Amino acid sequence: MSTHPVTTPSDRPGAAGPTRGSGALALGLLLLGGAALLGLVVRQDVVHPPFQGLDDRWLRWMGGPHEGLYAAVAAALNWFGGPLGAVVPLGLLLLMLVRRRWVSAAFLLGVYLGANAVVVQGLKHLVDRPRPADPLVRVDHGSFPSGHVASAALLVVLVGALLVPAARRRAWWLGGAVFTLAMMWSRTWLHAHWLSDTVAGASAGAGAGLLAWWLCGPALGRERARVHDRRGAAVDTPDPVPPAERPQHARR
């Protein structure tokens, strides 16, 4: 007889409901709506939106000197959010495939690519805001929103949804918020974005991730419950031949 405690569906890892939070839908819609509203405001006057004064003051505070430890940190964050930084989500995707978590792999790939292609690039083309003068790194068109910040916030949500146990998510969200704030600082310190671009990027990335988690939460929960049950069954499988009944040569 198994000595493992009996778990109810709500106790299983990845069970739907408590793991994704009852406020995921509301918060996701709020953040996405906030990014879209900010984009509509900027689109009315891309050169002088109502908060351009704050953006200008922040950019002056980020004036330098651009060297030393700050430069190294900003360069690392710039790498993380660029094309080479795709090794991180690709590594997570490989981990899901190795674990045979097909639903999680599809969720990770679809949400990461979809949020960047539809939400971030959609807002960039809709708003088409000029970037600050003389950025210190290579940039593409459209300053609003920050794609680096959006990807960072999105990745925080995806990892929290797929890999972090529910009991440890509060610490993960705190660390993820610090990481996202650091990315926001780096993009303005490098003069690649205005401050409001980074705020919109964080809202768009986190909002898209939360909304997708809410939509796919039941399927993810069922998959993780199946994985948990499969592992428990493997541990509890009894030896089909008791040691006392094995052939003499098998016991040597």
Side-chain angles (χ1 to χ4, degrees):
M1 184 169 65
S2 172
T3 58
H4 291 270
V6 176
T7 58
T8 64
S10 61
D11 295 328
R12 292 172 178 169
T19 57
R20 57 192 171 124
S22 58
L25 173 61
L27 184 57
L29 290 174
L30 179 65
L31 291 173
L32 270 180
L37 179 60
L38 197 58
L40 291 176
V41 171
V42 175
R43 190 170 185 268
Q44 300 304 311
D45 188 349
V46 295
V47 178
H48 297 290
F51 37 78
Q52 187 62 46
L54 175 60
D55 282 343
D56 288 336
R57 285 195 297 273
W58 181 266
L59 196 65
R60 286 196 296 270
W61 292 341
M62 298 291 102
H66 294 89
E67 57 188 19
L69 178 61
Y70 292 148
V73 173
L77 291 171
N78 180 65
W79 173 89
F80 184 89
L84 293 177
V87 298
V88 177
L90 286 176
L92 293 174
L93 178 63
L94 180 61
L95 177 62
M96 294 297 103
L97 294 175
V98 168
R99 292 184 174 183
R100 294 187 296 172
R101 290 174 55 177
W102 316 121
V103 175
S104 296
F107 171 78
L108 173 64
L109 182 63
V111 176
Y112 189 81
L113 294 179
N116 280 286
V118 177
V119 178
V120 177
Q121 292 302 319
L123 284 172
K124 279 184 177 290
H125 285 84
L126 174 67
V127 178
D128 199 20
R129 185 185 191 184
R131 291 182 183 267
D134 303 319
L136 302 179
V137 291
R138 180 179 297 179
V139 294
D140 58 9
H141 84 93
S143 185
F144 183 99
S146 169
H148 279 64
V149 176
S151 295
L154 175 63
L155 198 59
V156 166
V157 175
L158 294 180
V159 173
L162 297 176
L163 295 177
V164 181
R168 300 179 181 176
R169 284 204 183 113
R170 181 172 297 180
W172 173 256
W173 299 141
L174 179 60
V178 172
F179 171 67
T180 304
L181 287 171
M183 184 66 79
M184 293 169 68
W185 161 81
S186 74
R187 301 314 289 163
T188 56
W189 192 83
L190 292 169
H191 290 200
H193 287 283
W194 305 102
L195 176 63
S196 53
D197 300 336
T198 65
V199 173
S203 296
L210 288 170
L211 186 58
W213 188 12
W214 182 84
L215 289 171
C216 301
L220 292 170
R222 288 191 294 270
E223 179 187 60
R224 295 186 67 175
R226 286 195 299 270
V227 171
H228 179 263
D229 290 345
R230 186 166 62 241
R231 290 174 179 172
V235 171
D236 292 341
T237 300
D239 191 335
V241 180
E245 299 178 11
R246 293 177 183 171
Q248 185 66 24
H249 67 274
R251 287 184 284 167
R252 289 177 181 173

